[in-house]
Amino acid sequence: MASAQVTGTTSERSHTPACTGPHSRARDWAEIQERMLVPLYQAVYERLEVGPATSLLGFGCRSGLALLLAAERGAQVAGTESDTELRELAQGRRLQVQEDPRTAQSVARSAHSLVTVFEQLQTTPSPGRLVAAAARRTLTGGQLVLASWGPPERCESAAVLEVAQRQAGRTPGRDPFALGAPGRLEGLLAAAGLRPAGGGRVTCPFAYPDLDSAVRGMLSTGLFDPAVAAAGSALVVKELEEALHPFVRPDASVRMVNVFRYVVGERVN
C-alpha cells in the first residue's frame, strides 16, 4: 500500500526564491501546502467511518495526500486531477488518478460509495457543474462531501488571500470564501439532487518553518494565479510577504489558524 508520507520537506526549499511556474507550484503543494488540510481529511474520514468497505473517488485530488490517508484506512481509492504536474505527482505515489472529472468513468469503478471534493470548489468557475458531475459518480445510497473555507472572520489567512483579489485586475479569481456562508454548500448538494446529511467545521492551522515556505505554500493553492497573471509574480510575492508579516513568530516560523467547513450529501436515487 502507498504511504501517506509527504514528499520532501519544507526546510529543504526554504532558502530558494519563491517561484510561480507550474512545476514549482505543484511541487510546493505536495511538499508544503497539502499537509495543512490533513485535519479536514481526517475529520471527514472519521465521521463517515472510511475503511475497507469504502470505495472513494477524490475529485480534484491534486497530488493525492487525501487519497493516501483513505487508503491507509483500507479504502479503495481513485482520483481525478486536471493539472498535469499534480496528476503526475499523484501517480508517482502509485495512485490511480485520471485527467478529467468529466471522464471519471475511466477509473476502476464508474460510481463510488464516497466522493470527495476537498479543494477544487475554491478555484472552479462552475461549482454547480462540478458538483453535478461528482453526484453522477456517487452510488445510490452513497455520500458526496464538499468542503470550503469557513467564514473569513474565523480564518487568519483571509488578510493574505485578499492580496489575490486586489491584484487580480479585470479577471479576478473566485472568492475563496464565497461558498463558506451558511447554506451555500448545502444548496449545491440540493441542486445536484442529493439530500444534505450534516457537516462540520474543522480547524486547520497553516504552519510554515519560515516566510519563504509560507509564500510558496500560499501560491501553490492556485488562488493567486489570476493575480500573478495580471500583476506579475514579483509584485504578488512582495505583497504576500507583507501580508504574512503579522503572522511571523519569534522563531521566524509562520502560523495562521483557519477554519474549513464541510457538508455531506446522500444520493437517495
Side-chain angles (χ1 to χ4, degrees):
M1 179 184 299
S3 169
Q5 181 178 359
V6 178
T7 305
T9 65
T10 55
S11 60
E12 292 170 353
R13 304 175 63 85
S14 62
H15 299 294
T16 306
C19 176
T20 59
H23 183 72
S24 176
R25 286 199 306 271
R27 282 287 177 186
D28 287 343
W29 173 267
E31 296 178 4
I32 299 173
Q33 191 64 27
E34 70 178 341
R35 71 187 72 189
M36 309 303 173
L37 297 181
V38 166
L40 171 65
Y41 306 150
Q42 297 286 38
V44 169
Y45 295 162
E46 287 286 344
R47 180 177 182 130
L48 300 182
E49 299 182 346
V50 169
T54 306
S55 167
L56 187 152
L57 177 66
F59 255 47
C61 66
R62 310 213 83 187
S63 52
L65 179 57
L67 294 181
L68 290 175
L69 294 172
E72 287 191 344
R73 293 170 172 265
Q76 302 173 58
V77 301
T80 65
E81 176 53 53
S82 59
D83 183 277
T84 300
E85 300 288 349
L86 288 167
R87 187 171 64 253
E88 289 177 352
L89 288 172
Q91 292 168 343
R93 289 168 160 175
R94 294 180 291 173
L95 291 166
Q96 185 179 25
V97 177
Q98 300 294 329
E99 180 176 358
D100 190 337
R102 291 170 295 181
T103 61
Q105 64 268 23
S106 62
V107 300
R109 285 173 171 259
S110 61
H112 298 255
S113 63
L114 175 61
V115 179
T116 60
V117 185
F118 282 129
E119 291 102 12
Q120 199 173 12
L121 283 175
Q122 320 308 319
T123 55
T124 182
S126 304
R129 291 179 61 186
L130 175 64
V131 175
R136 289 193 294 270
R137 301 276 69 85
T138 306
L139 285 167
T140 299
Q143 297 162 314
L144 170 61
V145 175
L146 308 180
S148 73
W149 289 78
E153 63 271 16
R154 298 285 304 278
C155 298
E156 291 184 332
S157 293
V160 179
L161 293 171
E162 197 273 332
V163 172
Q165 297 294 310
R166 186 171 66 249
Q167 293 296 339
R170 297 181 180 180
T171 56
R174 283 187 51 78
D175 177 2
F177 299 102
L179 297 176
R184 294 296 301 275
L185 293 178
E186 292 85 348
L188 288 173
L189 289 174
L194 279 76
R195 180 177 62 196
R201 292 186 177 183
V202 183
T203 299
C204 295
F206 284 17
Y208 309 91
D210 50 46
L211 184 60
D212 181 72
S213 294
V215 170
R216 286 178 176 275
M218 295 303 291
L219 288 175
S220 75
T221 63
L223 294 170
F224 294 85
D225 289 359
V228 170
S233 61
L235 179 59
V236 173
V237 168
K238 177 178 180 295
E239 292 214 6
L240 262 177
E241 290 174 343
E242 293 174 355
L244 286 163
H245 182 72
F247 305 103
V248 177
R249 300 161 74 90
D251 63 356
S253 65
V254 178
R255 181 180 173 86
M256 298 174 286
V257 177
N258 300 296
V259 170
F260 283 74
R261 68 183 300 258
Y262 69 91
V263 298
V264 181
E266 294 179 348
R267 183 171 180 181
V268 296
N269 53 46

